[in-house]
Amino acid sequence: MSAECVPVVPAEHAAPTSPAPPSGRDGDLPVPVTGWGRTAPSAALLVRPRTHEEAVAAVRRCGNRGTIARGLGRAYGDAAQNAGGAVLDTTGLDRIRTIDADGGVVVCDAGVSLHRLMEVLLPLGWFVPVTPGTRYVTVGGAVGADIHGKNHHVSGSFSRHVLSLELLTADGEVRTVVPGTELFDATAGGMGLTGVVLSATIRLHPVETSLMSVDTERAGDLDDLMARLTAHDDRHRYSVAWIDLVARGASTGRAVLTRGEHAPLDALPARARRRPLEFRPRQFPSAPAFVPEGLLGRPSVSLFNELWYRRAPRARRGQLQSIPAFFHPLDGVPHWNRVYGRSGFVQYQFVVGHGQEEALRAIVRRVARHGCPSFLAVLKRFGEGDPGWLSFPMPGWTLALDVPAGLPGLGPFLDGLDQVVADCGGRVYLAKDSRLRPELLSVMYPGLDRFRALRARLDPRGVFVSDLSRRLSL
């Protein structure tokens, strides 16, 4: 492996659409911290170490309210908040340590974003193995949430591609953690509650170009969509469907299905072959700081969804798209989360297993009847789950939808959906949760007791704690 140490810019400059939270020093007053959904701010002291040694010192001196690691703040709920305690802003840990350009392995600090990895690795012919709907996620956050992407049915979640971790635990020690151990299984998807990921060794995916070959088609309703996904998902590395959750009747669950592969060099036009691995994401104007409440109501979302569905091609094959356009279209609009107004929004994501399609149908019908104005709703198929005790994916169907937090009756409505999900053996995604009832957690996550037992042994003083962990008694 190359011994070269590649410096990267601080994450708040590398990720203009999601700046890191303000830094704190000892003696500073707590500042409000919130998730990407902007629904439940709480005050904490923000500490920003720039070296592993500074991170160790910060953990050793944290107060009785403990601390939690935070990356670029893209967890939608309260997973990276710690009311009255400390929050460890890891974006100062921002160095790519080594790159094996022959074998496709990178060693980097936890505060390096997926955006920065793409900038550095794509020119070398490598791509991150898993990316969610935003590239402004840190490596530490990717491990803590065990993120998934459009390729889960092929590649699994992020932790499947992690060869080892350096983990700072509650006793102030740094441990090397490898797959197949209890500590790795508790940390992958463990929401930062086993310790602070300081660095990770990650296996990469080889690519010939920075473009995607994309197939797009329309599905007339939910059953049509599921049939298409079931029949053809194994032919594509990436697959996702935008679904219209406002449509009713015969159009309930109509969707635009998009699948893609990394385009080979010979698929590019001659001009593009001169710079086949160029990575230059476009930036659009930022969302305004103030957006009127109710802008995304049912009438406006219904109109948007109708236009979006109608403009999609009935069937198109092999369109070339950039990586940002295919994977991260919203990243081009800085602070897009502001469009929901000051009340913020809830992203609700669940998974139900194969054989539970009727539960999925029932939820889609409920959402349509309730009039949830969701224009960001996606359906995917998951493949085999990964061993993380609190890792979200399991074989089946996952649906994610954004809903304005001020929607009347939203809390009881989502509680009802939680019960449907739990009753059929499904689960909700903790990295996006902000309101799940704690009594459902053990039903949804069978590994919860093992996770709690390991935490009790590893962290008896409760050094690592978050608003999420208090709310759910993790």
Side-chain angles (χ1 to χ4, degrees), residues 64-410:
N64 58 10
R65 293 285 289 180
T67 189
I68 193 70
R70 179 184 177 93
L72 287 167
R74 286 302 181 108
Y76 284 77
D78 52 4
Q81 300 172 213
N82 181 22
V87 168
L88 202 68
D89 171 8
T90 63
T91 57
L93 307 175
D94 60 359
R95 297 183 74 81
I96 296 176
R97 301 287 171 172
T98 60
I99 300 171
D100 179 356
D102 294 324
V105 174
V106 63
V107 181
C108 63
D109 283 352
V112 175
S113 69
L114 300 191
H115 171 89
R116 187 55 178 153
L117 285 180
M118 292 176 198
E119 284 186 324
V120 173
L121 297 171
L122 271 169
L124 303 177
W126 298 100
F127 189 61
V128 294
V130 172
T131 178
T134 174
R135 62 187 179 274
Y136 296 119
V137 175
T138 62
V139 166
V143 172
D146 200 14
I147 61 171
H148 56 272
K150 297 177 175 69
N151 59 339
H152 189 275
H153 62 290
V154 173
S155 302
S157 54
F158 193 84
S159 65
R160 189 180 298 186
H161 309 273
V162 174
L163 303 179
S164 67
L165 300 169
E166 295 298 308
L167 184 71
L168 169 58
T169 51
D171 55 8
E173 299 300 316
V174 178
R175 308 184 186 202
T176 299
V177 185
V178 297
T181 63
E182 283 195 332
L183 187 50
F184 188 93
D185 292 347
T187 300
M191 307 310 297
L193 297 172
T194 61
V196 180
V197 176
L198 297 178
S199 66
T201 302
I202 306 161
R203 188 175 300 282
L204 305 167
H205 178 70
V207 296
E208 294 182 17
T209 75
S210 60
L211 293 176
M212 305 296 297
S213 177
V214 181
D215 297 344
T216 305
E217 59 192 89
R218 292 196 320 217
D221 59 27
L222 182 60
D223 285 343
D224 182 22
L225 172 62
M226 289 193 291
R228 291 169 187 257
L229 285 166
T230 301
H232 303 301
D233 250 13
D234 58 348
R235 303 178 189 175
H236 300 83
R237 176 170 291 275
Y238 303 100
S239 180
V240 66
W242 169 88
I243 183 169
D244 184 356
L245 294 179
V246 179
R248 301 184 188 182
S251 297
T252 299
R254 65 181 180 177
V256 178
L257 175 57
T258 307
R259 298 185 175 107
E261 303 282 353
H262 294 280
L265 185 62
D266 59 13
L268 272 58
R271 185 172 182 178
R273 293 183 198 180
R274 300 172 189 169
R275 296 181 179 178
L277 292 165
E278 187 175 49
F279 180 66
R280 297 180 63 184
R282 297 177 62 187
Q283 285 289 304
F284 297 97
S286 175
F290 173 76
V291 176
E293 296 292 326
L295 178 65
L296 294 181
R298 184 177 176 87
S300 59
V301 170
S302 295
L303 177 60
F304 172 86
N305 286 6
E306 181 70 26
L307 294 174
W308 189 262
Y309 181 78
R310 295 297 175 188
R311 72 181 291 272
R314 292 185 181 275
R316 181 175 60 197
R317 301 285 182 264
Q319 182 191 28
L320 292 178
Q321 293 183 9
S322 69
I323 280 174
F326 180 74
F327 289 105
H328 317 116
L330 286 175
D331 281 348
V333 183
H335 306 291
W336 65 262
N337 56 339
R338 294 173 179 170
V339 301
Y340 289 90
R342 292 185 177 180
S343 297
F345 70 102
V346 173
Q347 181 162 107
Y348 184 73
Q349 183 169 5
F350 67 90
V351 58
V352 296
H354 294 302
Q356 299 296 333
E357 285 78 11
E358 188 51 45
L360 176 61
R361 295 185 186 99
I363 289 175
V364 170
R365 289 194 297 265
R366 280 197 188 193
V367 172
R369 286 198 305 267
H370 192 77
C372 292
S374 178
F375 76 98
L376 294 174
V378 296
L379 181 74
K380 298 192 291 283
R381 288 179 76 236
F382 279 159
E384 290 301 314
D386 290 280
W389 295 339
L390 297 186
S391 185
F392 168 66
M394 57 182 279
W397 304 92
T398 180
L399 176 65
L401 58 146
D402 289 355
V403 186
L407 187 71
L410 181 61

Side-chain angles (χ1 to χ4, degrees), residues 61-66 84-85 461-462 465 470:
R61 67 171 181 264
C62 73
N64 58 10
R65 293 285 289 180
R461 296 187 296 114
V465 64
R470 291 191 185 96

Side-chain angles (χ1 to χ4, degrees), residues 394-470:
M394 57 182 279
W397 304 92
T398 180
L399 176 65
L401 58 146
D402 289 355
V403 186
L407 187 71
L410 181 61
F413 175 72
L414 293 181
D415 286 345
L417 298 190
D418 289 342
Q419 195 63 59
V420 174
V421 171
D423 287 346
C424 70
R427 59 183 65 143
V428 301
Y429 193 14
L430 297 182
K432 297 181 178 179
D433 177 59
S434 58
R435 26 73 45 211
L436 180 68
R437 291 172 292 161
E439 61 267 25
L440 290 181
L441 195 64
S442 60
V443 178
M444 295 179 171
Y445 286 91
L448 180 62
D449 288 343
R450 298 176 70 187
F451 179 81
R452 285 172 170 163
L454 184 140
R455 276 200 74 208
R457 297 195 310 268
L458 196 66
D459 186 7
R461 296 187 296 114
V463 170
F464 297 111
V465 64
S466 64
D467 291 356
L468 173 79
S469 71
R470 291 191 185 96

